[in-house]
């Protein structure tokens, strides 16, 4: 059977024909040995045809198609013109070797050309890649390297293209940096407290906040120089005059040891660094809030910016988070506990990163698992809206937050929440109203030609009242038609929303629906218990019958 090889180079498509495969015996070791030498490899593999790309843009298009496993028209024409035709109902006498099995399956589906992709073919293609510039005589030295470099740059640039305002990678880096800054500031501030306490130990009990302590330590420097003249400046820092007086009084009767000027300078420098780090942490938090409002506004308004950013960073991206089901999102961050529970056959965790949300903290101990499940459901909806919607609005996030609040009241007080379909319908309507408001607010520039047309229309309207009456009648008919269209669209939306949210386990049908569910569960439990009891009784009867049948040993 003849073997042809398809090689997709940076400059064009090349087809090679492999000869003398019986001598090699399709042994990969023999091919590896013959690859390095062109004299040996040239006897086995020969160029059949080479079709160069027309431009760099065409090369990029073909490269993208091949990487995604799509057969282009250009590649199809190359294969059909240079390979022997495959007759229907008969076995082909050749096969095509390709490097990627995806494109091979696509070629065999469309053109019925048998393709193969294995270790032997990959070794042959490796030899073709190694000696390609010598096979094609028209290529000059350095042309292939330039084509590869240009195509590599354009291919990677096309793959990395994104919307600058919706880069979730920045959120992932920001939340990682925020967590590390929190740890570092905490450890550094404890070091400042311990270091300065050798000089002024009473200050630790008076000032509790880490940032304020570093600020006060930098201001005081030497406690012996602290007098009542500095009380106004201390009140500006601390924010309380009584506390400032207490610091001055404690400095007079302090039990701390004296420090040398060099030691005090080092303490002041370190305190200044801690202050700078805490200020940078505040700026970074503001940046994270702004980024989250751009990338995932609904998720941020539902669960908070920090928890939402942690969910995105743990999932890897916003699209990965949107692909996660609510059950996965619920335990995201508690993977160790989950696998430990599966290994030991214990209870699985109820929540992961969602636990940091205020809703879980506000729920009672018995309702924490329910609340986590419900919140994960709403978070998955919000993340999908943020990922796949074209315009970013916080309307859906606010409505979902209201639903979670209603569910908390339902668990605590028994107040029946609204139905999910009603809430989503109101969210869609409010989002549409916002869009229309935005459109009306934007000023429309009128050109000179349009202004002239408007003047002509106004003059024509002034000529007779009959024309005006006809126009008003036409407008009324058009308004009536538009109202009918709006009603039809509303009906369609309601039907779609009903179909979409019928299957959702919301439990939002009130107390009655939950009572029906509990009754059904009890019935199912009774049926299962009765079945178990019947099985046990039948097993006992069999054992008794077996004992009776066995003869007693003499």
């Amino acid at each position: 059977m003849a073997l042809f090889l398809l090689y997709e180079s940076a400059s064009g498509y090349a087809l090679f024909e492999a000869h003398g495969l019986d001598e090699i015996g399709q042994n990969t070791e023999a091919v590896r040995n013959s690859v390095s030498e062109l004299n040996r490899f040239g006897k086995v593999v020969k160029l059949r045809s080479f079709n160069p790309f027309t431009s760099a843009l065409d090369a990029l298009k073909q490269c993208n198609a091949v990487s995604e496993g799509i057969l282009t028209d250009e590649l199809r024409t190359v294969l059909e013109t240079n390979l022997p035709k495959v007759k229907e109902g008969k076995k082909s006498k050749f096969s095509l070797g390709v490097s990627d099995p995806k494109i091979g399956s696509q070629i065999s589906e469309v053109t019925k050309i048998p393709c193969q992709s294995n270790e032997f073919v990959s070794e042959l293609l490796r030899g073709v890649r190694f000696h390609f510039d010598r096979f094609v005589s028209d290529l000059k030295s350095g042309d292939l390297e330039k084509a590869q470099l240009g195509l590599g740059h354009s291919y990677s640039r096309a793959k990395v293209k994104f919307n600058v305002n919706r880069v979730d990678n920045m959120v992932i880096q920001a939340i990682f940096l925020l967590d590390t800054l929190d740890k570092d500031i905490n450890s550094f501030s404890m070091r400042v407290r311990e270091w300065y306490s050798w000089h002024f130990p009473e200050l630790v009990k008076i000032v509790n906040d880490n940032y304020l302590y570093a600020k006060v330590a930098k201001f005081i420097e030497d406690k012996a120089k602290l007098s009542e003249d500095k009380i106004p400046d201390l009140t500006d820092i601390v924010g309380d005059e009584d506390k400032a007086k207490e610091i001055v009084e404690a400095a007079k009767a302090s039990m701390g040891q004296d420090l040398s000027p060099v030691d005090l300078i080092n303490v002041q420098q370190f305190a200044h660094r801690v202050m700078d780090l805490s200020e940078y942490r505040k700026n970074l938090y503001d940046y994270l809030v702004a980024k989250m409002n751009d990338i995932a506004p609904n998720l941020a308004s539902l669960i908070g910016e920090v928890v939402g950013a942690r969910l995105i960073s743990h999932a890897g991206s916003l699209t990965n988070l949107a692909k996660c089901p609510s059950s996965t999102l619920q335990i995201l961050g508690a993977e160790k506990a989950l696998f430990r529970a599966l290994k030991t056959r214990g209870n699985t965790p109820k929540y992961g990163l969602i636990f940091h949300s205020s809703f879980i903290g506000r729920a009672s101990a018995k309702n924490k698992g329910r609340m986590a499940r419900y919140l994960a459901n709403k978070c998955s909806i919000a993340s999908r809206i943020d990922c796949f919607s074209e315009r970013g609005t916080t309307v859906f996030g606010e409505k979902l937050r209201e639903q979670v609040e209603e569910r908390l009241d339902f668990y605590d007080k028994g107040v029946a929440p609204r139905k999910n379909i009603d809430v989503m319908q109101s969210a869609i309507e409010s989002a549409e109203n916002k869009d229309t408001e935005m459109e009306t607010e934007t000023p429309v520039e009128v050109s000179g030609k349009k202004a002239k047309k408007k003047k002509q229309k106004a003059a024509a309207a002034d000529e007779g009242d009959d024309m005006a009456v006809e126009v008003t009648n036409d407008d009324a008919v058009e308004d009536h038609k538009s109202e009918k269209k709006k009603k039809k669209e509303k009906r369609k939306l309601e039907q779609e929303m009903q179909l979409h949210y019928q299957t959702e386990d919301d439990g939002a049908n009130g107390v009655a629906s939950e009572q029906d569910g509990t009754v059904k569960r009890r019935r199912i439990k009774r049926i299962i218990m009765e079945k178990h009891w019947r099985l046990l009784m039948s097993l006992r009867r069999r054992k008794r019958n077996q004992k009776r049948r066995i003869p007693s040993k003499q």
Side-chain angles (χ1 to χ4, degrees):
M1 183 184 281
L3 178 66
F4 294 94
L5 300 169
L6 174 66
Y7 177 62
E8 308 95 353
S9 70
S11 53
Y13 291 119
L15 269 172
F16 290 87
E17 189 176 357
H19 295 281
L21 293 177
D22 297 331
E23 296 173 9
I24 297 172
Q26 292 199 3
N27 189 4
T28 53
E29 287 294 328
V31 175
R32 279 178 196 145
N33 295 330
S34 65
V35 159
S36 57
E37 295 177 10
L38 182 62
N39 295 326
R40 290 178 66 188
F41 189 74
K43 292 175 183 177
V44 177
V45 177
K46 289 182 180 178
L47 182 68
R48 188 177 179 90
S49 71
F50 176 67
N51 299 86
F53 297 130
T54 54
S55 62
L57 192 67
D58 184 37
L60 178 62
K61 182 186 168 185
Q62 299 296 325
C63 184
N64 282 321
V66 168
S67 65
E68 290 168 9
I70 299 165
L71 179 66
T72 57
D73 295 333
E74 290 84 355
L75 181 57
R76 187 174 179 177
T77 52
V78 166
L79 294 173
E80 286 176 350
T81 51
N82 295 301
L83 291 176
K85 290 181 181 180
V86 180
K87 294 179 180 178
E88 291 183 2
K90 289 186 178 180
K91 194 177 179 181
S92 60
K93 296 179 181 179
F94 71 96
S95 64
L96 181 67
V98 291
S99 58
D100 190 9
K102 278 185 185 178
I103 192 71
S105 62
Q106 186 71 14
I107 289 165
S108 59
E109 278 179 18
V110 177
T111 60
K112 307 298 179 185
I113 295 168
C115 298
Q116 60 174 334
S117 177
N118 49 32
E119 194 178 355
F120 176 70
V121 171
S122 62
E123 285 297 326
L124 285 171
L125 286 169
R126 188 170 70 86
V128 167
R129 196 184 305 113
F130 189 67
H131 303 292
F132 184 69
D133 55 344
R134 296 180 187 176
F135 278 116
V136 182
S137 58
D138 295 336
L139 283 174
K140 296 175 184 177
S141 61
D143 285 352
L144 188 64
E145 286 80 4
K146 286 177 184 177
Q148 286 172 350
L149 187 66
L151 184 60
H153 279 298
S154 56
Y155 179 74
S156 58
R157 202 182 298 117
K159 285 286 179 187
V160 177
K161 271 185 182 177
F162 49 77
N163 186 0
V164 180
N165 297 320
R166 301 191 71 176
V167 189
D168 50 5
N169 189 31
M170 298 299 114
V171 169
I172 294 165
Q173 299 299 329
I175 194 65
F176 272 125
L177 184 56
L178 199 71
D179 291 338
T180 51
L181 272 175
D182 285 335
K183 290 175 186 176
D184 293 342
I185 288 165
N186 192 22
S187 58
F188 290 161
S189 56
M190 290 304 293
R191 183 61 53 205
V192 169
R193 281 171 176 269
E194 193 175 345
W195 199 351
Y196 196 68
S197 291
W198 287 99
H199 181 61
F200 193 2
E202 291 82 8
L203 188 63
V204 176
K205 293 179 181 178
I206 300 166
V207 181
N208 296 319
D209 188 48
N210 292 330
Y211 179 71
L212 269 179
Y213 186 89
K215 213 169 184 180
V216 170
K218 187 175 179 296
F219 175 75
I220 292 170
E221 293 183 1
D222 192 359
K223 65 178 180 181
K225 295 176 183 178
L226 189 63
S227 60
E228 292 181 358
D229 299 336
K230 294 183 179 179
I231 288 173
D233 297 329
L234 265 175
T235 50
D236 291 338
I237 296 167
V238 180
D240 189 6
E241 193 176 351
D242 296 332
K243 198 175 272 188
K245 286 178 182 178
E246 193 179 350
I247 291 166
V248 172
E249 291 296 326
K252 288 177 183 177
S254 178
M255 297 291 291
Q257 66 179 18
D258 293 331
L259 293 178
S260 64
V262 178
D263 295 335
L264 280 170
I265 286 163
N266 282 310
V267 173
Q268 302 313 313
Q269 284 179 350
F270 190 53
H272 185 68
R273 287 289 172 87
V274 172
M275 286 166 59
D276 290 342
L277 273 175
S278 55
E279 283 170 6
Y280 175 66
R281 196 257 177 209
K282 287 176 185 175
N283 295 332
L284 186 67
Y285 176 74
D286 295 337
Y287 165 75
L288 180 67
V289 168
K291 271 286 172 191
M292 278 297 291
N293 288 326
D294 287 338
I295 294 159
N298 292 302
L299 188 65
S301 59
L302 171 62
I303 205 169
E305 288 84 6
V306 177
V307 182
R310 283 205 179 100
L311 286 170
I312 290 167
S313 68
H314 200 83
S317 66
L318 184 61
T319 51
N320 290 348
L321 187 68
K323 287 173 187 175
C324 286
S326 59
S327 56
T328 308
L329 198 144
Q330 184 184 346
I331 56 165
L332 208 66
E335 286 84 7
K336 280 187 180 179
L338 174 67
F339 291 119
R340 195 191 309 121
L342 292 171
K343 193 177 180 182
T344 58
R345 294 183 181 179
N347 294 326
T348 53
K350 294 176 183 177
Y351 28 67
L353 291 167
I354 286 179
F355 181 75
H356 297 290
S357 174
S358 59
F359 294 116
I360 309 292
R362 284 161 59 192
S364 57
K366 64 177 183 179
N367 293 323
K368 279 187 189 295
R370 285 174 169 185
M371 203 66 229
R373 188 166 62 249
Y374 189 79
L375 186 61
N377 183 11
K378 298 302 167 191
C379 284
S380 66
I381 292 167
S383 62
R384 285 164 192 172
I385 291 165
D386 288 329
C387 184
F388 301 112
S389 64
E390 292 177 358
R391 291 182 182 178
T393 56
T394 57
V395 174
F396 291 96
E398 287 164 4
K399 293 290 180 184
L400 292 169
R401 191 179 179 85
E402 285 173 15
Q403 277 191 293
V404 179
E405 293 280 355
E406 286 172 9
R407 184 46 62 104
L408 268 173
D409 292 337
F410 171 67
Y411 288 143
D412 293 339
K413 301 170 188 175
V415 181
R418 290 176 292 171
K419 287 184 179 179
N420 195 31
I421 189 167
D422 297 334
V423 177
M424 288 294 108
Q425 190 68 39
S426 64
I428 289 164
E429 286 173 3
S430 56
E432 284 175 356
N433 292 332
K434 275 193 176 181
D435 289 341
T436 51
E437 283 174 10
M438 289 288 287
E439 284 174 4
T440 51
E441 279 176 8
T442 54
V444 181
E445 293 180 359
V446 182
S447 62
K449 289 182 180 179
K450 286 183 180 179
K452 284 180 182 178
K453 283 182 181 179
K454 280 187 177 181
K455 284 179 182 179
Q456 287 173 3
K457 281 180 182 179
D462 290 333
E463 283 177 4
D465 294 330
D466 298 330
M467 291 288 286
V469 171
E470 286 174 8
V471 169
T472 50
N473 289 332
D474 291 335
D475 289 335
V477 172
E478 284 176 5
D479 290 334
H480 187 64
K481 285 180 182 177
S482 64
E483 284 176 4
K484 279 187 178 180
K485 282 183 181 179
K486 282 180 182 177
K487 282 179 182 178
K488 282 182 182 178
E489 284 174 0
K490 277 187 180 179
R491 282 175 195 167
K492 282 182 182 178
L493 275 169
E494 284 173 2
Q495 286 172 3
E496 284 173 6
M497 293 295 290
Q498 280 174 359
L499 287 167
H500 189 268
Y501 293 103
Q502 250 178 358
T503 55
E504 186 180 344
D505 188 15
D506 240 357
N509 293 326
V511 181
S513 63
E514 286 224 347
Q515 285 176 356
D516 293 339
T518 51
V519 169
K520 283 178 183 177
R521 284 172 197 158
R522 284 173 187 170
R523 283 178 187 169
I524 290 159
K525 280 183 182 178
R526 281 177 192 170
I527 291 160
I528 291 162
M529 289 291 286
E530 284 173 5
K531 283 183 179 179
H532 279 295
W533 180 253
R534 285 171 189 167
L535 280 167
L536 284 167
M537 292 300 290
S538 63
L539 285 167
R540 284 178 184 175
R541 282 171 194 162
R542 283 178 188 173
K543 283 181 181 178
R544 284 174 192 168
N545 293 331
Q546 283 174 1
K547 283 179 182 178
R548 285 173 187 170
R549 286 172 190 170
I550 295 166
S552 59
K553 291 182 180 179
Q554 291 179 355

